[in-house]
Amino acid sequence: MKRIGFSGTLDPITNGHMWVIGEARSIADEVIVFLSQNSTKQPRFSAEERRAIVLESCAERQWDNVQVLIVKSDYTARVARKHGVDYLIRGIRTTADFDYENLIQQTNVEVIGGAKTLFVMPPRDLGSVSSSFVKALEGPVGWNWTTKKFVPAPAYRAWILSWLHKEWQALFQGDAAPGWFARLTGADAYGGATRHYHNLDHLVHGLAEIRAWAANTGATAADADLVRAAFWFHDAYYGHGPGAVSNEEASAQLWLGSGLEPDAGRAGEVATLIRATDHLQGGHVAHPLKEILLGVDLAILGQDEEVYAHYARGIRAEYGHVPEERYGSQRAAVLEHLRGKAYAGTLYADPWFAEQYNEPAIVNMTRELAQLA
């Protein structure tokens, strides 16, 4: 078969969609993805953005025989025929899927005179994966790590950037705001290739933690925004070489030079909170929200085993320049110190974070210490 088509809204494209495209490649020389632009739907991404995401996802797998066409105000099956495609391919997950898709294919062939449909059944681990299923995961703490399992990397990155952009716009306004968002999420900050843990995922996790803390403790909107602003900038600078000031102090100075502020007259408080995350000067910092930001930053220690393991690997990768034996001894010393605080009940000074994460943190750190030994 020379050409086969695959159609959908693909908002976002999932690993299930990618599997169907892969099946299409196995039976045809060329695959055309017909991307629907439906005026009755409210997609997260524009048609052009979705097209770019699909192409990048295919390029990542070195699929060079896939092209993407946007279908506007026409039937996909009819457009497919116009492009020399006699068959569309669709994934069938349930009997309900079959009934629906069979009705569509009968309409395509008998009414529209368009391409016929081939049905394939995805493997069991992809049987429940759909765009609507994945979008429904968004929101709670850890949603990003769960979502990452179901979508290709380019779709995931586009998704969390879209989520972060909404969070940013809700917090900061003014002419300088767009430029600072691009800078913080770009290659020189959280979006950098060497940021294996202190990256965009870290931003999403922390902001979700702040939302959960605020919702469950009755925190004021102003206080929550103050913590959010500090978290956005607390790891904006993250270098490993010697410097005149610490990473946290450099990040605080970056914030003070940004001209941004979440609430009138509180820019200095944001800098104070950023400095609270510095182990060199944090002990001397006093602020009512200090323990909240520290709780958010340390919440990773109390996540489930899989997430914690990913965090530990990310930290090791960020210190890839440190020899194994030296890293092991220094990492063990840090973990022993933090675990000691957890045993003493002082790792999370805020009651909300202590209740959520203190015990799981002890378990996780004990496991990593055993592995290091």
Side-chain angles (χ1 to χ4, degrees):
M1 187 181 298
K2 186 176 181 181
R3 285 182 173 179
I4 193 168
F6 175 63
S7 66
T9 306
L10 308 184
D11 182 53
I13 189 169
T14 69
N15 290 337
H17 296 138
M18 293 297 292
W19 179 85
V20 176
I21 294 173
E23 289 295 289
R25 292 181 69 253
S26 70
I27 58 178
D29 299 324
E30 183 181 358
V31 179
I32 301 180
V33 177
F34 295 101
L35 196 63
S36 301
Q37 181 172 301
N38 191 333
S39 60
T40 65
K41 293 186 177 182
Q42 298 289 327
R44 173 182 291 271
F45 301 105
S46 70
E48 287 296 340
E49 288 172 331
R50 281 177 278 141
R51 179 178 184 274
I53 291 169
V54 174
L55 287 173
E56 189 177 351
S57 299
C58 291
E60 187 179 61
R61 303 190 184 196
Q62 299 182 328
W63 292 354
D64 56 4
N65 62 338
V66 180
Q67 61 173 301
V68 183
L69 298 178
I70 298 173
V71 178
K72 302 178 181 180
S73 301
D74 203 347
Y75 294 110
T76 299
R78 189 160 61 192
V79 173
R81 270 285 174 86
K82 292 176 182 177
H83 286 84
V85 173
D86 292 322
Y87 288 92
L88 297 171
I89 190 169
R90 299 291 292 174
I92 297 296
R93 296 164 298 182
T94 64
T95 55
D97 274 357
F98 175 79
D99 291 340
Y100 173 77
E101 293 291 350
N102 188 43
L103 177 62
I104 295 297
Q105 92 97 22
Q106 289 175 4
T107 303
N108 287 341
V109 175
E110 298 171 14
V111 180
I112 300 171
K116 298 178 181 179
T117 304
L118 297 175
F119 298 131
V120 292
M121 299 187 69
R124 183 166 51 185
D125 61 327
L126 295 175
S128 62
V129 179
S130 66
S131 295
S132 57
F133 163 77
V134 173
K135 284 189 284 191
L137 297 171
E138 182 180 291
V141 171
W143 71 267
N144 52 313
W145 296 312
T146 304
T147 302
K148 185 182 287 190
K149 301 174 184 178
F150 300 112
V151 297
Y156 175 73
R157 180 178 174 83
W159 191 353
I160 62 170
L161 279 173
S162 173
W163 187 88
L164 286 168
H165 191 241
K166 289 182 180 179
E167 292 286 311
W168 179 267
Q169 287 182 312
L171 186 61
F172 297 117
Q173 304 297 323
D175 295 339
W180 277 102
F181 175 80
R183 180 170 178 176
L184 290 179
T185 58
D188 294 330
Y190 295 100
T194 60
R195 295 288 195 107
H196 301 284
Y197 168 66
H198 295 90
N199 52 20
L200 297 174
D201 270 337
H202 181 50
L203 268 182
V204 174
H205 173 218
L207 293 170
E209 289 281 2
I210 295 168
R211 178 181 293 181
W213 160 76
N216 285 280
T217 62
T220 67
D223 281 352
D225 284 349
L226 202 67
V227 179
R228 287 188 181 97
F231 194 80
W232 268 103
F233 274 81
H234 82 293
D235 283 325
Y237 184 83
Y238 192 75
H240 296 298
V245 297
S246 66
N247 290 340
E248 294 80 6
E249 180 59 33
S251 296
Q253 293 178 13
L254 193 69
W255 157 259
L256 290 172
S258 71
L260 301 168
E261 53 183 320
D263 198 12
R266 304 191 75 179
E269 292 185 67
V270 174
T272 297
L273 287 174
I274 295 171
R275 292 180 174 121
T277 64
D278 186 348
H279 71 279
L280 296 176
Q281 58 180 323
H284 305 290
V285 171
H287 192 281
L289 296 172
K290 170 183 173 178
E291 300 303 340
I292 306 305
L293 183 61
L294 293 178
V296 172
D297 204 26
L298 293 173
I300 188 65
L301 299 177
Q303 304 303 309
D304 64 40
E305 182 177 351
E306 181 181 1
V307 172
Y308 183 89
H310 187 270
Y311 146 74
R313 290 193 297 270
I315 292 295
R316 180 63 185 106
E318 288 187 343
Y319 285 90
H321 59 285
V322 179
E324 189 66 34
E325 184 175 348
R326 180 183 169 197
Y327 175 82
S329 62
Q330 292 182 341
R331 176 67 176 168
V334 170
L335 290 173
E336 290 282 11
H337 171 70
L338 293 175
R339 187 175 65 167
K341 295 184 69 174
Y343 278 132
T346 60
L347 180 62
Y348 300 102
D350 177 77
W352 162 255
F353 290 101
E355 182 180 357
Q356 304 299 313
Y357 299 128
N358 196 74
E359 291 304 317
I362 291 173
V363 173
N364 284 330
M365 290 188 286
T366 299
R367 185 190 311 108
E368 187 182 355
L369 281 165
Q371 293 168 349
L372 289 171

